[in-house]
Amino acid sequence: MVPNVALGELLDLSQYGLSVSSVDGGQYPMFKMNNFANGFMSDSGVDTVDLEYEEFSKYKLEYGDILFNRTNSIDLVGKTGVFTLKGNYVFASYLVRLKVNKEIADPFFLNYFMNFDRTKLRLRSLATKAVSQANINPTQLKKLLRVPLFPLPEQRKIAKILSTWDKAISTTEKLIDASQQQKKALMQQLLTGKKRLVDPDTGKVFEGEWELTHLKSLLIEEKSRNKDNKITRVLSVTNHSGFVLPEDQFSKRVASENISNYKIVKQGQFGYNPSRLNVGSFACLNQFSEGVLSPMYVVFSTNDSKLQRDYLSYWMDSHEAKQRIKNSTQGSVRESVGFDALCSFPFILPALNEQQKIASVLTAADKEIELLQAKLAHLKDEKKALMQQLLTGKRRVKVDENVTA
C-alpha cells in the first residue's frame, strides 16, 4: 500500500510571485499564467521586467522548480508546470513556486501528479469561485492535497517512463506543425500557378495560361426551402469540422421547431454563414445525402464542367481568399460576406484536369497530417492510461537494485 501524505510535507518552500509591471526589453523574462505548455514552462510570448539584483535573486527560478497557477478561470486554475529552461527567469504574482524536498520527492514525479486528471478535479474542488475567476489558497493546497509517496527511486522511474511519452508527443506535434507549414507553402505555390504539376496523361508539366474570371461565372445559388418539412436533419457549418449536427456541436438541438423556411443543402453543395466566413466556416456537404440549414446561411453549387469542388474548397482556405474576404468586409458594421460579394471575387481558373491534380496533391498532404494527428491522439490516450496506472499505484514499476542502494 502506497502511503498518501499532504503536499506540504514534500516541500522545502512555497512562494508567491512578483507583483511588478512588465516592461518592453526588460532585464529578466517573467512567467505569467499564459506560459504553461503541457506540464512545462514555455518562453513563448514571455514578458520581461526590470529588477534590482537582490530582488531578482529572491525570485530566480531553478531547474526543477514547480510553478502553480493559483488564480485563473475555474477551467484553468491549478495549471502546473516544471521549470527546465536555461536562463534567468522569474515569476509573477498569480503563480506560486513549489520547491520540492529532493531527499523524499522527485519534482518531475510531483509535476506529473499535479497534471493528472484526477488531481486536476481535486484542485478545482479546492478553488474558491468568484464571478469570472477562481482562486486556490496555497496554504489550503499544502494541507488538503494528498500525494502518493512512492519510494524516491520509484518516483524517478515513473517520471522517466512518462517523459518517454512526452518526448514522443512533442516529436509528433512538431511533425504536425512542419507538415501544416509545408502544406501552407504548397497551397501558396499551387493555387497561384507559381508551381505547375506534371500532367499524368502527358508526363509533362501542365502548360497554358489560367483563365482570369470571377466566381460569379462558376457558382449557382441554391434557394430551395424545406416547405413540406420532409427533411428533418438540421445542420450547421463550423470552421474546424465543416458540416456538423448541432447536437454534436452544442450537446442539444438548437434549431427552431418549425424548419419549413430552412434552406435545403444536398450532397456536393456548399454552405456558409455570411457572418462567419471570415473565420473559415465554409464547407462542402460530403457526409450526408441532404440536410437543412438556417435561413441565414448561403447555399450554392458549382459549375462542375469548369470548377472542381475540392479545388474550390482549398482555394477558399488560401491566403488569397482570406485576404479577399477581409477586404470585402472592411468598413462594414458587420463582417458579413453575402453570395453577391462572394461572386465578385476575382478568380484565376486552371483547366479542370489541372485543378483535379492540384486537389489530389493537397488531399494527400491532408491525409499525412490526419495520420499524424491520429498518432498524436493515440499517444495522449496511452499516456493518460499509463498515468492512471502508475500514479495510483495500481501498477508498480520495478527499480534496479543498484539505483536503490
Side-chain angles (χ1 to χ4, degrees):
M1 189 76 175
V2 181
N4 287 318
V5 300
L7 172 65
E9 295 180 36
L10 306 179
L11 304 178
D12 283 336
L13 170 76
S14 66
Q15 177 189 20
Y16 285 90
L18 287 155
S19 294
V20 295
S21 299
S22 57
V23 296
D24 291 336
Q27 295 170 283
Y28 305 110
M30 180 174 71
F31 290 125
K32 292 186 175 180
M33 55 188 178
N34 61 328
N35 294 119
F36 292 88
N38 300 319
F40 292 87
M41 301 311 300
S42 168
D43 60 359
S44 177
V46 71
D47 288 347
T48 56
V49 291
D50 286 329
L51 299 171
E52 295 293 334
Y53 183 76
E54 184 177 343
E55 191 170 26
F56 159 70
S57 300
K58 183 179 176 182
Y59 293 96
K60 180 180 184 297
L61 288 166
E62 297 177 351
Y63 184 86
D65 282 351
I66 293 173
L67 290 178
F68 176 82
N69 186 191
R70 66 181 177 89
T71 303
N72 209 320
S73 68
I74 188 60
D75 292 330
L76 298 177
V77 71
K79 285 180 75 172
T80 308
V82 64
F83 178 72
T84 58
L85 301 173
K86 293 180 180 178
N88 295 320
Y89 290 81
V90 293
F91 57 106
S93 59
Y94 281 166
L95 307 184
V96 175
R97 183 204 331 231
L98 306 177
K99 193 172 281 293
V100 175
N101 177 350
K102 294 180 182 178
E103 292 184 2
I104 56 172
D106 178 74
F108 294 92
F109 167 82
L110 182 58
N111 184 58
Y112 279 120
F113 178 77
M114 298 287 282
N115 281 282
F116 181 32
D117 283 348
R118 186 185 294 182
T119 308
K120 290 178 183 178
L121 289 174
R122 175 63 176 144
L123 292 174
R124 287 172 194 156
S125 75
L126 295 176
T128 303
K129 302 172 186 66
V131 175
S132 60
Q133 287 190 321
N135 180 74
I136 297 175
N137 181 292
T139 302
Q140 292 294 100
L141 174 72
K142 290 186 290 182
K143 287 181 181 177
L144 299 178
L145 183 65
R146 309 293 294 184
V147 182
L149 188 60
F150 295 93
L152 186 56
E154 190 172 352
Q155 292 180 44
R156 291 171 179 155
K157 184 71 178 286
I158 290 170
K160 185 176 180 181
I161 291 169
L162 293 174
S163 73
T164 303
W165 260 259
D166 276 337
K167 288 172 185 174
I169 288 169
S170 177
T171 299
T172 308
E173 286 174 335
K174 288 174 183 175
L175 287 172
I176 290 171
D177 184 62
S179 296
Q180 289 172 333
Q181 292 303 317
Q182 287 170 1
K183 182 200 164 188
K184 189 175 179 180
L186 199 56
M187 287 175 66
Q188 176 64 20
Q189 290 180 312
L190 295 180
L191 297 173
T192 58
K194 291 178 181 177
K195 180 182 175 67
R196 306 290 289 270
L197 299 170
V198 173
D199 183 345
D201 294 331
T202 65
K204 296 179 181 179
V205 174
F206 282 104
E207 296 178 336
E209 294 294 319
W210 290 9
E211 178 187 350
L212 180 58
T213 184
H214 289 78
L215 285 176
K216 183 177 181 179
S217 65
L218 304 168
L219 310 182
I220 305 105
E221 188 172 12
E222 304 291 348
K223 299 181 179 180
S224 298
R225 304 281 176 155
N226 191 34
K227 291 180 181 178
D228 52 10
N229 279 311
K230 277 189 176 179
I231 302 173
T232 58
R233 181 186 290 117
V234 177
L235 300 171
S236 60
V237 181
T238 69
N239 60 350
H240 52 80
S241 302
F243 278 93
V244 296
L245 296 166
E247 51 264 40
D248 292 341
Q249 180 74 7
F250 305 108
S251 301
K252 63 179 180 177
R253 183 183 169 96
V254 294
S256 306
E257 286 187 19
N258 182 0
I259 57 173
S260 62
N261 196 39
Y262 277 43
K263 292 181 179 178
I264 296 173
V265 57
K266 296 184 177 180
Q267 193 170 64
Q269 294 178 345
F270 290 84
Y272 72 91
N273 182 335
S275 298
R276 290 186 56 78
L277 187 60
N278 61 321
V279 295
S281 295
F282 174 96
C284 181
L285 182 61
N286 294 313
Q287 66 270 50
F288 303 110
S289 60
E290 61 184 6
V292 292
L293 289 166
S294 164
M296 74 177 68
Y297 278 85
V298 169
V299 179
F300 69 84
S301 54
T302 56
N303 182 341
D304 292 339
S305 65
K306 289 187 175 182
L307 180 60
Q308 207 259 357
R309 292 193 293 267
D310 287 343
Y311 183 85
L312 176 63
S313 294
Y314 283 118
W315 185 83
M316 287 296 295
D317 194 38
S318 70
H319 174 75
E320 181 185 357
K322 290 174 182 177
Q323 194 60 46
R324 296 203 181 283
I325 292 167
K326 181 180 178 181
N327 292 342
S328 73
T329 60
Q330 282 185 345
S332 61
V333 177
R334 294 186 67 192
E335 294 187 348
S336 181
V337 183
F339 185 68
D340 289 343
L342 180 66
C343 285
S344 71
F345 290 180
F347 190 77
I348 47 173
L349 185 67
L352 198 60
N353 59 342
E354 188 169 3
Q355 292 178 47
Q356 291 167 340
K357 182 62 179 176
I358 290 170
S360 70
V361 168
L362 294 175
T363 298
D366 276 338
K367 286 181 178 176
E368 179 185 339
I369 293 169
E370 288 168 7
L371 285 172
L372 288 170
Q373 288 171 332
K375 179 182 178 182
L376 177 62
H378 181 66
L379 286 169
K380 287 183 175 181
D381 285 344
E382 283 187 332
K383 180 190 170 187
K384 187 180 289 188
L386 204 53
M387 290 176 80
Q388 174 66 28
Q389 294 288 316
L390 298 180
L391 297 176
T392 60
K394 289 180 181 177
R395 177 177 168 188
R396 303 295 294 268
V397 297
K398 293 182 179 180
V399 180
D400 190 329
E401 292 182 2
N402 293 327
V403 175
T404 60

